[in-house]
Amino acid sequence: MLMQGMAASPGIAVGRAPLLRKEERRLVQSRITEAEVSGEVERFDLAVEQAKLQLKALIDRLESEGSSQEAGIVEGQWFFLDDPQLKMHVQSKITSDLADAVWAAHEVFAEYAKAFEAIEDEYIKERLTDLRDAESRLLDVLMGVRNIDLSALDEPVIILAHDLTPSMTAQMNRSMVLGFATEVGSRISHTAIMARTFGIPAVVGVKDLLSSMEDGAQVVLDGDEGQVLSRPDEQRLLRYEQKRKEHVALSKQLSALREVVAATIDGKRFELYGNIGKPEEAGLVLEHGGEGIGLFRTEFLFMDRADMPSEEEQYQAYRQALINAGGRPVIIRTLDIGGDKEIPYLPIGQEFNPFLGWRAIRYCLSDPALFKIQLRALLRAAVEGDLRIMFPMISGVREVEQAKAPLEEAGQELESQGKPYKKRIPVGIMIEIPSAALVSDKLAPLVDFFSIGTNDLIQYTLAADRMNEKVSYLYDAEHLGVLRLIEMVSRSAKAHGKPIGMCGEMAGDPKMAKPLIGLGIDEWSMSASQIPYVKQEILKLSEAECRDFVKQLLS
């Protein structure tokens, strides 16, 4: 039987496949007496601490193994359990509703999940996995349910499950996991990210997987095509085995490119950077041959918490990213919230059309105090290395001038406080609004570099919401209108001697290497795992050929 899902992590796996079914947990609404309230609150508090200890042990083990990115993902659920507001809500429900600890915790986590589901952003929605993972762990502790121990696997297997939480994935004995497939999930889920990090083939979103597969049957898992095949015949086995060998050979070939310079056959040099959301991810970029960080999404530092990170917290995070980058460039985007990224403790509120609303630089300019906290932290951290600041969502000249003013004020405040900081930092902007592309010749003299954010530039140019499946067919990176805008921005940058980069998904697509070279993009920033694939493609091309190709495209 052949079942289709979504390709989450490339590679081919062949082996026995046990069905992973967790011990059933039955939730029943249960009431307590007023005399039992204090005892139930104490039971809840103890369960939270026990669950946090379990997670801390897992995080420490991952970090000791050098898996800092995976440890960071597991920290996501630790932060939920450590959230004082969440704990207070559960304690209040126990006290006021006379609900037992299990039901009170379940109700509060359900309220949080509902709030997350209302946010139209794939990354935020994927945080639901962390939230549910945290709830599951907590309820298991409260109810004495046995957790599945994937660290105890004693033979190589392909794991088939309804879902694998990030902590379950992190606990796997990776030497015994050939691959895994799940009924739910997406390519950007933390579980899928961890699979790609570990190099484990994975398929997600396979409908009715558990009910259709036989426990322990031989299975072929194709992480390239997103397919799961049960009980393959000998001919198919031979075909998949050949494909597996080709994949292993390609991985070795790409690994050998780590120290190779990304240059065309006629000598044009390009810089390949990585996108990160946390300081510890910088190391992964370097492991894949990246030459720096082209986009540090600082909004992730503001998420999954009850209040805004202090100047000192931000300073330490930016400083650590620079240290982890080992002296290489780190481009840090200032807070980009609103639109599809909400932060509960900031008063943005609901908007009729949030993508065209109060977001990113617009919000920061309306709250100079908040903005300058981040800018002071950045100026202080810049002493540690090559830090560059990038303002998002710029629409024209006035916003650049307005954004640079608080940066100057932040430096003056640090000067008066006697705190060390870097007085001259490269400042750039993201080109992601068509108006910015159209006036890029006026913007170039005001900044040190451009970085094109293609995810938003494409959706704004084509008036096609990238989150809306009904119009997804319109979201086309190769649309002539998009390419002409990119060419216009590139021309403006070159005319003023300013470097131009790209940090949207287009930069990580090997198929787009040819047009991007022809369009004159100097720096490309992408997911760390895509760096060797894009580098391999660049090495095959000549700049002259690419320029001719783009001339034909634009005409």
Side-chain angles (χ1 to χ4, degrees):
M1 174 185 292
L2 181 65
M3 304 192 72
Q4 185 68 49
M6 288 180 282
S9 181
I12 305 295
V14 180
R16 194 178 72 81
L19 304 182
L20 194 62
R21 291 191 175 96
K22 192 169 183 179
E23 183 178 330
E24 187 176 356
R25 186 200 306 122
R26 294 184 179 180
L27 288 174
V28 179
Q29 187 172 4
S30 180
R31 298 295 178 190
I32 60 175
T33 65
E34 289 189 8
E36 295 173 309
V37 166
S38 61
E40 206 63 13
V41 169
E42 184 179 1
R43 184 164 82 96
F44 166 71
D45 291 342
L46 288 172
V48 168
E49 292 309 309
Q50 186 177 341
K52 284 167 62 179
L53 284 172
Q54 291 176 2
L55 287 170
K56 182 66 167 61
L58 176 56
I59 291 166
D60 288 346
R61 180 171 69 79
L62 288 168
E63 288 181 339
S64 69
E65 294 172 354
S67 302
S68 57
Q69 186 191 27
E70 293 67 47
I73 289 175
V74 175
E75 281 177 353
Q77 57 174 300
W78 190 92
F79 284 123
F80 279 119
L81 292 176
D82 194 50
D83 182 353
Q85 191 173 13
L86 187 149
K87 288 191 286 188
M88 183 183 67
H89 285 167
V90 176
Q91 292 163 349
S92 175
K93 195 169 282 290
I94 293 172
T95 304
S96 59
D97 295 358
L98 296 180
D100 74 342
V102 172
W103 188 254
H106 172 65
E107 288 281 281
V108 170
F109 273 94
E111 291 169 9
Y112 272 60
K114 186 176 180 181
F116 272 60
E117 286 169 347
I119 299 173
E120 290 299 322
D121 173 64
E122 283 195 62
Y123 177 84
I124 301 298
K125 284 185 175 179
E126 284 301 338
R127 294 316 313 275
L128 276 169
T129 304
D130 290 337
L131 180 70
R132 287 169 176 152
D133 205 0
E135 179 191 12
S136 179
R137 183 176 292 273
L138 177 60
L139 295 184
D140 283 349
V141 172
L142 282 167
M143 302 174 72
V145 173
R146 178 179 57 85
N147 280 306
I148 296 165
D149 187 4
L150 291 177
S151 65
L153 294 171
D154 56 5
E155 66 169 314
V157 294
I158 295 172
I159 295 172
L160 305 181
H162 173 69
D163 192 16
L164 289 172
T165 64
S167 61
M168 290 169 68
T169 312
Q171 289 177 57
M172 286 179 179
N173 179 351
R174 298 195 288 276
S175 65
M176 294 295 175
V177 177
L178 302 172
F180 64 78
T182 62
E183 294 182 319
V184 299
S186 73
R187 267 192 56 80
I188 66 166
S189 67
H190 281 155
T191 300
I193 292 169
M194 291 173 82
R196 291 194 290 273
T197 302
F198 293 146
I200 299 174
V203 178
V204 298
V206 186
K207 189 177 179 182
D208 300 326
L209 175 67
L210 296 185
S211 61
S212 303
M213 289 289 179
E214 180 184 344
D215 190 15
Q218 187 179 41
V219 162
V220 171
L221 185 146
D222 188 337
D224 300 325
E225 301 296 331
Q227 295 176 337
V228 180
L229 176 64
S230 176
R231 297 195 178 280
D233 58 36
E234 189 172 343
Q235 187 176 2
R236 282 184 170 179
L237 267 179
L238 289 172
R239 190 163 68 244
Y240 277 110
E241 180 59 25
Q242 179 60 34
K243 189 175 180 180
R244 189 190 66 79
K245 289 179 180 177
E246 291 170 358
H247 198 279
V248 170
L250 176 60
S251 295
K252 288 181 179 178
Q253 181 183 337
L254 291 176
S255 180
L257 296 179
R258 177 177 170 178
E259 304 300 330
V260 175
V261 171
T264 58
I265 56 178
D266 51 357
K268 175 61 178 177
R269 171 84 161 79
F270 296 93
E271 293 178 329
L272 302 187
Y273 295 161
N275 298 337
I276 66 171
K278 294 181 179 180
E280 56 267 23
E281 294 173 11
L284 189 64
V285 172
L286 304 188
E287 287 174 22
H288 282 85
E291 299 164 89
I293 308 304
L295 173 63
F296 183 166
R297 301 180 176 98
T298 61
E299 57 271 18
F300 295 155
L301 301 177
F302 290 69
M303 295 174 178
D304 307 329
R305 51 186 300 143
D307 53 9
M308 193 179 83
S310 66
E311 179 182 324
E312 186 63 25
E313 285 180 271
Q314 292 188 58
Y315 160 69
Q316 292 294 346
Y318 307 144
R319 176 178 175 274
Q320 193 59 51
L322 287 162
I323 292 171
N324 291 350
R328 295 169 179 81
V330 177
I331 299 175
I332 301 183
R333 181 174 71 186
T334 58
L335 184 59
D336 185 5
I337 53 163
D340 55 358
K341 288 168 283 191
E342 294 184 12
I343 296 178
Y345 55 83
L346 294 181
I348 295 178
Q350 297 294 317
E351 296 184 291
F352 183 71
N353 195 334
F355 277 103
L356 303 181
W358 197 29
R359 57 173 297 199
I361 197 65
R362 302 170 182 181
Y363 180 81
C364 289
L365 292 176
S366 72
D367 191 343
L370 174 147
F371 195 25
K372 282 195 286 186
I373 289 172
Q374 181 173 43
L375 295 175
R376 286 195 301 269
L378 289 167
L379 290 171
R380 290 171 59 196
V383 174
E384 297 288 344
D386 186 0
L387 186 151
R388 307 171 189 182
I389 293 175
M390 181 164 65
F391 298 128
M393 197 72 182
I394 293 294
S395 63
V397 168
R398 185 175 63 174
E399 279 176 332
V400 175
E401 295 171 341
Q402 289 175 326
K404 291 171 78 173
L407 179 60
E408 186 175 339
E409 292 170 12
Q412 293 169 354
E413 291 169 6
L414 291 172
E415 187 78 39
S416 66
Q417 294 166 8
K419 292 181 178 179
Y421 72 100
K422 204 167 196 176
K423 293 180 171 60
R424 176 71 180 97
I425 293 181
V427 175
I429 59 173
M430 284 188 74
I431 303 289
E432 48 192 336
I433 300 178
S435 64
L438 293 167
V439 297
S440 55
D441 59 325
K442 305 299 182 186
L443 294 170
L446 304 177
V447 298
D448 297 303
F449 63 91
F450 287 155
S451 184
I452 301 176
T454 53
N455 299 354
D456 272 341
L457 182 64
I458 295 168
Q459 80 164 346
Y460 288 141
T461 301
L462 302 179
D465 181 357
R466 58 192 171 101
M467 310 300 291
N468 188 333
E469 295 178 1
K470 294 177 182 176
V471 294
S472 60
Y473 69 95
L474 291 169
Y475 191 84
D476 180 11
E478 300 178 67
H479 190 286
L480 181 59
V482 173
L483 296 177
R484 283 182 173 175
L485 285 177
I486 293 173
E487 191 273 338
M488 182 181 293
V489 176
S490 178
R491 194 169 359 106
S492 297
K494 305 295 183 191
H496 291 85
K498 305 294 172 69
I500 177 170
M502 178 176 288
C503 58
E505 288 300 310
M506 187 191 289
D509 185 351
K511 298 191 301 295
M512 295 304 296
K514 191 172 185 177
L516 292 184
I517 291 172
L519 288 165
I521 303 301
D522 303 310
E523 302 164 358
W524 309 11
S525 193
M526 63 202 75
S527 298
S529 61
Q530 289 302 111
I531 292 172
Y533 291 93
V534 172
K535 184 183 289 187
Q536 182 189 48
E537 194 64 27
I538 289 173
L539 295 171
K540 300 175 185 175
L541 301 167
S542 80
E543 184 188 20
E545 173 194 352
C546 294
R547 289 194 179 280
D548 289 342
F549 175 68
V550 164
K551 283 180 183 177
Q552 295 175 22
L553 278 182
L554 296 178
S555 64

